Amino acid sequence: MSELLHRLRLPLLFAGLGVLATISIFADRRALEAGGRDLSWWTGGLLEIARPAQRVISAPIDAVRGVWRDYLALLDVREENEALRLEIAELQEEAVALREALVASGNLEQVAEMRAQLEMPMAPAEVVGQDVSPWFRTVLLDRGRADGLRAGMPIVTEGGVVGLVTATTPHAARAMLILDRQSAVDGLVQRSRSRGIVRGTGEGGLVFEFTGPADQVQPGDLVITSGYGGAYPKGIRIGEIISVDSSAPDLVRRAALRPAASLDRLERVFALLWRSPTLELLAPDSPPSVGAPAQAQAGAAP
Amino acid sequence: MRAAVALIGIGAVGLVVEGALASFVPALLLPDLALSFAMAAALFLPGAAALFSLAGVGFASDLLAGAPLGLHVLSLLVPFAIARIANGSLELRRGVPEAVLAAILSPVQAAGFILLLGLYGAPPEMGFWPGFAIVVRTVANAALAPPVCALVEALAAATGELDPTRRGVAWVGSAAWPALRRHG
């Protein structure tokens, strides 16, 4: 019998590893649906090591890239300066006009209130590494639980939504970009208030899926987070519609979206130190979120 | 097992370096280190140690890629089995055969990965981009396979754990049959 077991050892180990991996995948899936997870020391150890190592490796390349970028920037800084002065003057005129319009419509107070609701603590973080697989779109951040980051917290830049923290260690975090196929953000067309889901294509683009008349969504429309879905606060820019597939016979229409944030060259991002009440309910053991706004918001993995 | 542990360590370091480079180089131009290490382990290490290496490098790859933990491991099992069985009857421990084997295993693993992603609920849309990515990665993997195999062979030889080559094809059934017959 022992000889039989010895002979079957490799096939049994092979099958055992397959079963272990399958169980692990489903456990991970459940954790992602609950907004991600805080990694234990033995699973997060590699990310802890990777964070400083990747920063050291990236530093010289970043330095060369920075010098080159600064040099190029200097070449046309004068022209850009003039253009910016003109732009500022135009924007100031526009701001005055908009303020007048808001006062006239009595909405100024509501807008100020909404801004106050959205103001929440943020933690700056550096992107120190990206995933090497073409099938996933994630980044490694140099901030972790020690800095207040928790799984399920939104990541943004000044441009707009970047993604969601999916795993954390004491000093590092893994964030899934909205470009990832697993990402789904509840979005709202700012002009028409048409709602839909923004999904990542996994290939660097976004798709806005919506129902209703095709003319509710037009190229150039800005899509923002809607506030539903349980992951993102309301009113953060997701992207701009670049084309609408109006010929689709399905009930669900699709429009291509250009991300508002520059997701292909991410360097510095901000983690909103906030988790929606939905995620807090799904992860009751984790510390309470800070700066929770009155309105909970959008987007989650399907 | 010393060779397997060392292999996992080297693989993890390689994945970390690759992760840093991915900030500057498109991901599809970077080879799949996990596949190369799993294939090399299948060719040069004894069965259990090779599987242990596959598990370690696969889980490390998942962790650094942000993939569901276990996805790389599962997708590497079939290429591992193919490499193991092929190594039983073919002389693969040379540069060109190793590169050819990697070129064969690369799309096999990609197909498995796409299938698993579909089962997982995030299937990639098949079109030009995924096809292009698979072709480019196949070339990159083929180029990387010989140096990784040389490294693993040196490691296995140094620890005295080099698996004997060309063992002859041993299927599960044929392996178990003599023992079963003896036990009546």
Side-chain angles (χ1 to χ4, degrees):
Chain A
M1 195 62 181
S2 62
E3 189 189 347
L4 175 68
L5 282 176
H6 181 74
R7 281 176 177 274
L8 287 176
R9 189 180 62 157
L10 191 58
L12 286 174
L13 283 173
F14 188 87
L17 185 57
V19 171
L20 178 72
T22 307
I23 292 169
S24 176
I25 288 173
F26 281 102
D28 207 76
R29 175 70 179 173
R30 288 193 67 177
L32 187 64
E33 281 171 353
R37 62 179 176 173
D38 297 337
L39 295 175
S40 57
W41 66 269
W42 61 276
T43 49
L46 186 61
L47 289 186
E48 283 288 296
I49 296 166
R51 180 184 63 93
Q54 292 190 333
R55 176 177 265 185
V56 167
I57 295 163
S58 306
I61 306 173
D62 268 337
V64 171
R65 206 166 60 172
V67 168
W68 176 246
R69 200 170 39 207
D70 289 347
Y71 171 71
L72 287 180
L74 275 173
L75 288 179
D76 54 5
V77 71
R78 185 175 294 178
E79 285 177 28
E80 194 179 338
N81 224 353
E82 283 303 314
L84 285 173
R85 280 176 201 279
L86 278 172
E87 196 175 341
I88 286 169
E90 285 170 9
L91 286 172
Q92 280 172 339
E93 279 178 30
E94 195 178 332
V96 170
L98 284 171
R99 189 176 292 272
E100 285 297 316
L102 283 169
V103 171
S105 63
N107 281 343
L108 190 57
E109 201 171 296
Q110 288 172 9
V111 171
E113 189 181 338
M114 185 189 74
R115 281 177 61 95
Q117 284 174 352
L118 278 176
E119 278 176 9
M120 58 189 73
M122 296 181 188
E126 295 275 347
V127 174
V128 292
Q130 297 199 8
D131 71 83
V132 296
S133 164
W135 310 111
F136 298 99
R137 302 302 295 260
T138 63
V139 291
L140 180 64
L141 307 177
D142 69 342
R143 294 282 188 272
R145 288 200 291 272
D147 306 286
L149 268 70
R150 294 288 182 279
M153 286 181 171
I155 303 291
V156 300
T157 64
E158 62 278 9
V161 175
V162 169
L164 209 60
V165 175
T166 54
T168 58
T169 69
H171 303 102
R174 164 73 58 196
M176 178 174 72
L177 304 185
I178 53 171
L179 301 174
D180 194 287
R181 285 186 189 86
Q182 299 171 77
S183 168
V185 184
D186 202 308
L188 188 69
V189 176
Q190 200 175 39
R191 178 184 59 83
S192 64
R193 318 309 287 175
S194 180
R195 265 187 69 195
I197 301 291
V198 177
R199 293 187 188 279
T201 62
E203 297 163 13
L206 296 170
V207 171
F208 181 63
E209 295 177 351
F210 64 103
T211 55
D215 59 1
Q216 286 193 354
V217 179
Q218 292 173 1
D221 279 348
L222 185 65
V223 179
I224 58 172
T225 53
S226 73
Y228 301 99
Y232 295 96
K234 188 174 184 178
I236 306 176
R237 279 176 292 180
I238 303 174
E240 186 184 312
I241 301 286
I242 46 178
S243 64
V244 183
D245 183 9
S246 53
S247 63
D250 300 338
L251 185 66
V252 178
R253 299 179 190 279
R254 291 157 68 92
L257 203 65
R258 183 189 298 115
S262 304
L263 300 175
D264 52 342
R265 283 283 180 264
L266 281 173
E267 291 177 24
R268 177 173 282 268
V269 296
F270 295 91
L272 301 183
L273 300 179
W274 168 86
R275 281 204 308 192
S276 71
T278 313
L279 291 183
E280 292 293 347
L281 282 173
L282 287 169
D285 296 337
S286 47
S289 64
V290 287
Q295 281 179 288
Q297 283 341 307
Chain B
M1 278 291 176
R2 280 181 302 160
V5 173
L7 189 62
I8 292 170
I10 293 169
V13 170
L15 288 167
V16 168
V17 172
E18 206 178 23
L21 293 178
S23 299
F24 314 102
V25 182
L28 85 146
L29 294 179
L30 295 168
D32 189 340
L33 270 182
L35 176 69
S36 300
F37 276 90
M39 188 193 94
L43 294 185
F44 294 100
L45 294 184
L51 266 179
F52 183 65
S53 309
L54 182 152
V57 175
F59 277 118
S61 198
D62 283 329
L63 206 57
L64 287 169
L69 278 180
L71 201 62
H72 273 97
V73 176
L74 219 49
S75 73
L76 287 170
L77 282 176
V78 171
F80 177 88
I82 292 172
R84 193 87 193 152
I85 291 167
N87 191 43
S89 50
L90 300 170
E91 182 49 63
L92 295 172
R93 294 178 175 182
R94 284 184 189 157
V96 174
E98 286 162 356
V100 171
L101 182 62
I104 293 167
L105 297 183
S106 191
V108 170
Q109 192 229 2
F113 214 91
I114 290 167
L115 182 71
L116 288 170
L117 281 173
L119 294 173
Y120 185 72
E125 287 180 15
M126 289 314 294
F128 171 77
W129 175 256
F132 181 67
I134 290 169
V135 170
V136 174
R137 279 216 138 188
T138 298
V139 174
N141 288 336
L144 184 74
V148 169
C149 284
L151 174 74
V152 175
E153 185 176 16
L155 205 62
T159 54
E161 296 174 62
L162 194 60
D163 199 36
T165 184
R166 300 191 66 172
R167 297 170 303 278
V169 178
W171 303 96
V172 173
S174 66
W177 179 244
L180 283 171
R181 201 166 50 179
R182 253 194 305 282
H183 286 277

